[in-house]
Every structure is written in C-alpha cells, then in structure tokens.
Amino acid sequence: MGYDSDSSVIRRIAGVVAIMLYELEIFPDETYVCNEFVGLEALIGNHPPELSPEEAYDKAIHPDDREAYDASFGQLLRAVPTELEYRLVGFDGRVRWVWDQMHPVRSDTGLLVTGVVVDITERRRATDELARTEKLAIGRAERQGTLRPIGERILGMLLPEALHETAGAVAAAFACDGVGIWQTTEAGEGLLRAGVGIVASAVTPEGLPQRPGIVAATTERDAPVVVDDLETATTARRDRIARFGARSAIAVPIAGESGVWGFIEALSRDAGHFDTDDVGFLTSVVTTISAAVARDRADAAIRYQGTYDALTGLPNRALLGDCLRLALARGRDEGLQTAALFIDLDNFKDVNDTYGHGLGDRVLVEVAERIQNALRPNDVVARFGGDEFVVVCQAVGDAADVREIALRILRHLGEPLTIRDAGNVTLSASIGIAFGPDLVGPDEALRDADTAMYAAKSAGRGRVEVFDDAMRNRMLARVRKQDDLRVAIERDEFEVHYQPIVELQSGAITAVEALVRWRHPTLGLISPDAFISVAEDTGLITAIGRNVIICATQDAVRWNRGRAGAPPIGVSVNVSPRQLSDAGLVDHLRASLEQSGLPGELLGLEITESILLDDDPGHAGRIEDIKALGIRLLLDDFGTGYSSLAYIQRFPLDALKLDRTFVAGLHETPTTTTTSIVAAVSTLANALSIDLIAEGVETKAQCLALQSLGCRLAQGFLFCRPVLADEISRLVADPVAWTLPKSA
C-alpha cells in the first residue's frame, strides 16, 4: 500500500522534523519504481525539475558514502531489513547526516520497501563532539605523561636534535598532521628550525625565511593562538594554514632572552582538532624548549669565548690552530701554497706605560681592524696573544706575493692612529713569514713564522723577514744548545769564576764578582755570552743562578776564614729579570746564607736597569724582601739603559757599576764629555752615599783618570781576569795584591 500524498498530517510532520517517508517497489530483475517520496525537499532542498525525485535523491548521496549505500541495497534484495547512516549533499549546498531505515516485504510482483529517512545532523554533531571531547581528555592525560620524558631527553641534546625530537613528540601527543618549530628573525620572518608531517615538506637546508602557519598572529600578540576551523578563520590566516593543507591549528610563542624567540605550531587536516585546553600542554612544552634554547645560547657563548678573542673579536689561538690546519690540508689537496705571518707590534709596552692599558686595548682593536683591511677576502687574522697577531694566507703564489701582503699590513699599521684623549699614536710592527712546501702542520708553521719575526726585530724592527734555511739552522742550533744546557745542569758542568773588585787607593781586594762559565766536555770553557740568552729564554737560568748563589756564598765564607781584624771580602752575583721573577728566589737566598753562614751584608745582587723599568708587580716587593736579609743591591751597567734619578731614588741601591763603555773613553787624552759624565756619576754616588764601581778597567791611564775623578772602586783585566775560587784565596791573603799606578 502507499502513503496518501495528500495527507496534510504527514506533510506537516515531514516539514517540521526533516523526515522523509518513501515507498519503493523492486522487481525480480532488480529494477525499481518509487511510489512515494514525502518530505524530500526537507532533506535535499528544491531539486531541478528535470530530475525525478528518485534521481534527485540518488544524486544527493555523498560520494564517500556511495559504496555503503549500494551495499545496503543488496541487503534489501534478500528481504533483510536494513538501516544505515550516511550523508546527503543537498542542492542548497548543505551537508546532512541522515538515518535511513528500510523494511522490505515480499509481494506478488517482487519486493515492496517502505522506509523512513530522518535528519540526524545535530545528533551526529553532538555525538562526534562528545567523542572528540573524550578523545581530547584521554589525549591530554597521555600528553601530560609525555612531558617529563620529552624534557629529560631534549635537555641532553644539541639544539637542532632537541627541536626535531620535540616536534615529533608533540605531533604524536596531539595525533595531528604536522608540527613546526620556528625561530623569528630580526626581520620578523619565521625561520623553520624543525618540522614533522605536513610541515616537513617546507624544510630546506637553508631554512625557510617565510611566515608559515599563523606566525603573524603569534608574533604580533605574543600569546597563544587557536584556529578551530579554517572556514571560520580570517582570510590571511586561512591562506597561511591552507598552504600546508591544514584546517585547524594551534601556536604558542617561545620566550627568548629578550622577547619572543619563535613559536611552535601544530596543524591538523581536521577542523576542531585543537581547543584552548591544549594551550596548557603546549605551553609546558614551550617551557622545555626555552630551557633548551637558553642552554644552547650559553653553550654558544662558551664556545665563542673559547675560540674568539674577547677584546678584538678575532679568532684566538685555539681557533687559529684549526684554521691553519685546514688551510694546510686544503693546500696539499689542491696543490696551493699556504703562508703564516706572525705580527708583533714594536715597543707596544711603551703605549701601555704612557697612556694606560685601557687606551692600549683601544689601540689593539684598531690594529686588528687595520690588519683585516689589508688582507684579501679569504685570508684569516687571529689574535695570538698580547700584541701578537697571526695571519693565514691561502692560495698564494710565491714568497714575493706573501711579502707584498706583509708590507701592505705594515703600511696600514704605519698610518697614525687618532685616539680620543691621546692624540696621534704611531705604530710599527715586525713580521715573520713561514711559507713553502715544508709547512707540515700548524705548530711548525707558527714556530717558523715566530722565528722569522724575531729575526725581523733583531734586524731593526718595522720590517719583514721570511723564514729560510739559515734561520732553520740557527733555530736547530739553539734547540741543541737548550738540550745541552739541560744536560749540563744535570752533570754539574758549570763553574763559577770570580773577578776581584779593587780599592783604587790601596790596591786591596774589597769584593769579587761571581761569573758563571760552562765547562763543556768537548768544546772546553764557554763564556756566558754564548749561552746566557738561551738559558734566560728557556727558564734554565733559574737553576743555573741558584747553583751560582750556593757556590758564591760557600766560597766567600772560606775566603774570610782566618781574616780576623781584616776587612771582610764580599761577593756579588748577577741576577736576571727571569730570576727576580722567581717566587722562590728569596727563600733560596735565605737558605744559602743560613747553610753557608755568610752574613747578608757580604752578599750582593747585581741587577740591570731593565729590572727597575719592568712593571712586574712582584719585583718591588721581592727587592724589599731581599734587602730585609741584609743583602746589598748593585745596579749593573749603569748608563747604558734608561738611567733615571727617579729609579735610583726609588730603589734601595748600595752601589752603581759604571759601564765599561764610559771607562773605555778614559784613555791618555779623554774627551771632555766622557770625563764630565764619569765625574757627574761619581758626584751622584757620593751624594747618595753609595759606592761607585768602574767596570772594564784595562789600562793604567784609565785607572789614573778614575782616581782623579773620585772613583774609589774598580775591576777589570788591569787587575785580574776572572779566576777560580782557589786563586782568589791566594790573592786575598796578600794585603796589597797589586801596586797601582800613581799620578805624576
């Protein structure tokens, strides 16, 4: 039987509750006719008149549900009651979920099917929302459980790895289609640092300097943003999210040291995948990311401090070694020449002493910039330390090309520096070059360049020297001498010779100067000029000097034994700047005096003017401690350095030793200048109540001139060459060792 299509009751019901009633008759050949369709317009809207009701309804079935709908028709053919939920796409554009209940009854002609179709869109939406809410609740609980493992893992990783790990964990926790972590650049663009899922396609080796997702909203508001549905979002936001094929998104900013560092965003192809409750989870994740970013920034600062000079910003010595190693390796692989230039500023200590270290630092910054301006694009300059710089030149042609680079550096450095509060400062530098196929590694290159730099300084400063075979031979000889000196110390091959200091009026010996000699097993007796500089540079002078002090104090006690009533014989020992810098010097002097029994006033230490000029803060205090032991202080080679009354007055000197260059000028017809200088020094010594000792007296004329100029003490070959301790014992036994010349 059929429905009465004129039944107003049925039509009113269908219009109010969006229900459709229908009746189909299906024939054995599986064709069918529609007898009734009541309420069709309520479900699919007004259909085109050229379509029959059954054609319009069939066309409205959602394509994704077509297969299930056709399968239900097969159930009807077997006379099985069937019900199905599927979607209809109406001619008004709306999509509705419907519930279709079909009841087949066999008839004489086939099957008679009556059915009812009800709009369940709202019910379905409520059910889906409930399921989604339950899913999100479960997901939130599960996600909260992932927070601790995420934090524990990423804080032990490097930042790129940590960000990628976090993006993957968030994508898994949200069960979403993609996650991206973006860093905001100074230009306000997003630089992709890590991406998974649909975001990963945007990753390039250089990053992606664009504004993906909802970066604009995030960075402008500095607050979380949730996009529930692309269709309800603004046009600009839709375009950005749609670029990844997403429909919903959530983004939370990542705090940095000063403002927003970037943001993390999660994307889903489904609408309503995220809600405001998800912000809390993502904010917790962001806290961990911020900690990882801060740790990476701290690590980067540490790495920078470990590889770059804090003052000039240039690579430091550690990074220089890596640069030079890579340059040499590249040169060997590509057949290119590499050069190392060692630059040392000449007399830069004068700048610090004159203007202070603060201005000196400003000068070094300017020097670094000038060196860089003098180089080629691929050359590297590093600060080696203090006022020393090293340049690494790659792909150079020959030694002439390298020398031209070095000369260009000198020209740049030679231009006056205008420094605020100091005026113009003019600098020069000495440059040593190591170049050629013999450069095996960075240590060898720096060693050879350093050797050439010292050769440039020795040749007059402000010049360039290239390391060559002659320098290598001198360097090897110096290294061999260092090794021989170490062996000599172990074998006790050093001897102490003594030269008497004579009272010019009586000829009596008042003291002696201790002078070290090296008794080499094959070369014989070696004078100090041949080894003292090497011993000083290597620090071996400390061990040698300590042995000299021990011998001198013991020998002096032996000389004075049995001289009761006679003036005692003192002994003086030379002390270098390196020795005076030795923190153990005072203790060693004290121990030597105590063990030998020599009174402190019979021991003298001879120092040079360079020690008085040195700004080593330990020197002044050490000299005070030495004087506290009663030891005499003698200023050696007076007049050859920066002689200054201020220094003489500042330090507690007991004697001045007039340099031999002044004594040499006192011949039979001395110049007025020479005699005036010696007379002035003698007057100065008398005024200060300190002794004046003339060194290098070799002729009678010099002796007579010194007597006439008021000099009381002298030493030199005229009286005695340096001799061993036993000979001094014989000489001091004679009350008057020499008969001195007398003026006519």
Side-chain angles (χ1 to χ4, degrees):
M1 68 177 225
Y3 295 106
D4 181 1
S5 59
D6 294 330
S7 173
S8 62
V9 175
I10 293 176
R11 290 186 179 277
R12 284 199 300 272
I13 293 173
V16 172
V17 298
I19 186 173
M20 184 185 78
L21 304 177
Y22 64 90
E23 181 181 272
L24 298 175
E25 189 172 357
I26 303 176
F27 302 107
D29 61 358
E30 299 185 3
T31 61
Y32 68 91
V33 295
C34 177
N35 296 326
E36 296 288 348
F37 260 111
V38 179
L40 177 64
E41 290 79 4
L43 295 180
I44 65 172
N46 296 322
H47 60 83
E50 65 269 17
L51 297 178
S52 65
E54 57 269 32
E55 289 174 335
Y57 190 85
D58 187 74
K59 188 175 181 65
I61 294 171
H62 196 287
D64 293 344
D65 299 332
R66 167 61 66 182
E67 184 177 352
Y69 183 83
D70 291 345
S72 70
F73 193 79
Q75 293 282 87
L76 293 177
L77 293 177
R78 295 192 296 273
V80 177
T82 303
E83 61 181 50
L84 178 68
E85 292 183 4
Y86 55 90
R87 283 167 291 180
L88 295 174
V89 181
F91 289 92
D92 57 0
R94 292 184 61 187
V95 177
R96 293 176 175 86
W97 277 96
V98 296
W99 173 67
D100 189 350
Q101 188 177 39
M102 296 163 275
H103 296 278
V105 178
R106 294 191 183 275
S107 66
D108 294 338
T109 58
L111 289 173
L112 184 65
V113 180
T114 58
V116 57
V117 180
V118 180
D119 185 346
I120 61 169
T121 301
E122 291 303 321
R123 191 197 74 185
R124 185 64 182 253
R125 180 177 290 119
T127 302
D128 289 347
E129 179 64 22
L130 178 61
R132 189 179 73 86
T133 302
E134 291 176 350
K135 180 181 178 181
L136 290 174
I138 295 172
R140 279 194 295 271
E142 292 175 347
R143 290 196 293 271
Q144 291 299 328
T146 65
L147 273 180
R148 183 180 299 275
I150 291 175
E152 291 174 351
R153 287 198 304 271
I154 74 169
L155 288 180
M157 301 175 181
L158 296 177
L159 186 61
E161 183 184 4
L163 295 180
H164 183 77
E165 179 80 6
T166 302
V170 170
F174 276 137
C176 61
D177 298 300
V179 172
I181 298 176
W182 305 82
Q183 181 178 358
T184 304
T185 67
E186 293 183 358
E189 298 173 329
L191 178 66
L192 184 60
R193 297 297 302 271
V196 296
I198 58 178
V199 180
S201 60
V203 178
T204 66
E206 299 79 18
L208 186 63
Q210 298 179 9
R211 296 190 176 189
I214 49 176
V215 60
T218 299
T219 54
E220 288 169 7
R221 294 171 53 184
D222 292 344
V225 176
V226 178
V227 177
D228 185 66
D229 192 340
L230 177 65
E231 294 185 0
T232 61
T234 63
T235 302
R237 189 173 299 162
R238 178 187 297 117
D239 292 343
R240 289 191 292 271
I241 300 174
R243 189 165 64 85
F244 294 105
R247 190 168 176 182
S248 61
I250 181 173
V252 173
I254 301 170
E257 188 176 25
S258 55
V260 175
W261 177 86
F263 66 97
I264 181 172
E265 67 174 346
L267 302 165
S268 174
R269 292 188 177 98
D270 298 327
H273 193 84
F274 310 99
D275 61 21
T276 54
D277 291 338
D278 294 324
V279 171
F281 168 73
L282 209 53
T283 300
S284 300
V285 173
V286 161
T287 300
T288 304
I289 296 176
S290 295
V293 170
R295 186 207 60 202
D296 181 73
R297 185 182 296 109
D299 290 345
I302 293 172
R303 290 192 298 271
Y304 182 87
Q305 292 171 2
T307 53
Y308 287 86
D309 175 55
L311 177 64
T312 62
L314 297 177
N316 63 9
R317 187 182 303 191
L319 186 55
L320 167 66
D322 293 337
C323 294
L324 192 49
R325 187 178 295 105
L326 291 174
L328 291 171
R330 179 192 171 199
R332 286 190 294 270
D333 293 341
E334 301 180 10
L336 302 173
Q337 295 277 26
T338 302
L341 284 65
F342 203 112
I343 306 169
D344 185 271
L345 300 180
D346 296 329
N347 301 318
F348 186 72
K349 181 179 178 297
D350 294 346
V351 175
N352 282 332
D353 290 346
T354 303
Y355 301 107
H357 289 276
L359 186 140
D361 287 346
R362 286 155 57 190
V363 171
L364 289 174
V365 171
E366 176 68 21
V367 166
E369 184 175 342
R370 290 192 175 194
I371 294 176
Q372 288 177 300
N373 292 338
L375 301 180
R376 304 171 306 165
N378 292 331
D379 296 336
V380 177
V381 57
R383 187 183 180 197
F384 195 72
D387 59 349
E388 296 174 331
F389 299 83
V390 173
V391 173
V392 179
C393 296
Q394 304 181 62
V396 290
D398 53 23
D401 293 336
V402 185
R403 181 181 286 275
E404 177 54 36
I405 294 173
L407 292 174
R408 190 161 62 243
I409 293 172
L410 289 184
R411 288 194 295 271
H412 277 68
L413 294 179
E415 297 176 3
L417 281 74
T418 302
I419 304 295
R420 187 167 53 87
D421 302 330
N424 290 338
V425 176
T426 302
L427 297 174
S428 68
S430 300
I431 302 179
I433 299 174
F435 170 80
D438 295 334
L439 298 182
V440 178
D443 292 340
E444 294 79 4
L446 292 173
R447 178 200 63 201
D448 293 351
D450 185 45
T451 300
M453 182 273 293
Y454 276 107
K457 282 193 177 296
S458 300
R461 305 177 188 272
R463 55 186 296 127
V464 177
E465 292 289 345
V466 180
F467 187 82
D468 56 19
D469 289 339
M471 288 186 191
R472 179 175 286 106
N473 293 335
R474 289 195 297 270
M475 181 185 67
L476 292 175
R478 188 177 182 87
V479 171
R480 284 193 295 269
K481 185 169 289 185
Q482 292 174 10
D483 294 338
D484 289 347
L485 279 174
R486 290 186 174 90
V487 173
I489 292 173
E490 294 174 359
R491 296 178 179 177
D492 196 21
E493 293 177 357
F494 293 98
E495 298 177 353
V496 181
H497 291 216
Y498 300 94
Q499 186 174 39
I501 297 173
V502 178
E503 205 280 324
L504 290 181
Q505 295 301 321
S506 65
I509 298 174
T510 62
V512 297
E513 179 183 358
L515 303 166
V516 67
R517 300 290 187 267
W518 181 5
R519 181 71 66 178
H520 195 280
T522 58
L523 301 178
L525 196 64
I526 301 177
S527 68
D529 292 341
F531 65 85
I532 285 296
S533 63
V534 177
E536 179 78 12
D537 292 341
T538 58
L540 295 175
I541 190 67
T542 299
I544 296 172
R546 289 189 174 192
N547 288 333
V548 171
I549 290 171
I550 292 172
C551 290
T553 53
Q554 293 175 349
D555 288 339
V557 170
R558 183 159 54 88
W559 298 326
N560 284 293
R561 193 173 294 128
R563 285 179 58 84
I569 304 296
V571 62
S572 61
V573 177
N574 289 279
V575 175
S576 70
R578 187 71 172 261
Q579 289 174 272
L580 194 60
S581 297
D582 177 19
L585 175 62
V586 176
D587 290 338
H588 179 70
L589 289 169
R590 183 183 294 107
S592 297
L593 292 175
E594 292 175 352
Q595 292 170 9
S596 66
L598 183 70
E601 61 269 17
L602 293 184
L603 176 63
L605 297 186
E606 298 192 14
I607 62 175
T608 60
E609 294 179 357
S610 62
I611 290 179
L612 303 184
L613 294 169
D614 200 326
D615 58 0
D616 188 326
H619 283 178
R622 205 155 289 132
I623 287 175
E624 290 182 6
D625 293 339
I626 290 171
K627 291 297 294 179
L629 296 175
I631 297 174
R632 289 164 51 83
L633 201 62
L634 293 79
L635 184 58
D636 199 12
D637 301 330
F638 182 74
T640 59
Y642 300 91
S643 301
S644 169
L645 295 180
Y647 286 117
I648 296 174
Q649 188 177 24
R650 175 182 169 190
F651 289 92
L653 299 173
D654 296 285
L656 301 177
K657 298 194 73 172
L658 185 65
D659 188 73
R660 64 183 63 247
T661 56
F662 296 104
V663 175
L666 297 175
H667 40 70
E668 285 79 1
T669 57
T671 64
T672 303
T673 301
T674 302
T675 56
S676 298
I677 291 174
V678 175
V681 174
S682 178
T683 301
L684 173 64
N686 290 331
L688 296 175
S689 299
I690 59 178
D691 290 330
L692 177 64
I693 304 171
E695 297 181 290
V697 180
E698 297 182 358
T699 67
K700 293 181 179 180
Q702 292 168 349
C703 182
L704 291 172
L706 289 169
Q707 289 175 342
S708 65
L709 294 172
C711 183
R712 193 175 67 86
L713 302 171
Q715 67 183 98
F717 288 176
L718 175 64
F719 313 113
C720 183
R721 290 179 176 273
V723 295
L724 293 172
D726 289 343
E727 179 62 16
I728 295 295
S729 296
R730 186 190 67 79
L731 291 174
V732 299
D734 185 353
V736 180
W738 297 276
T739 302
L740 299 178
K742 301 291 183 180
S743 57

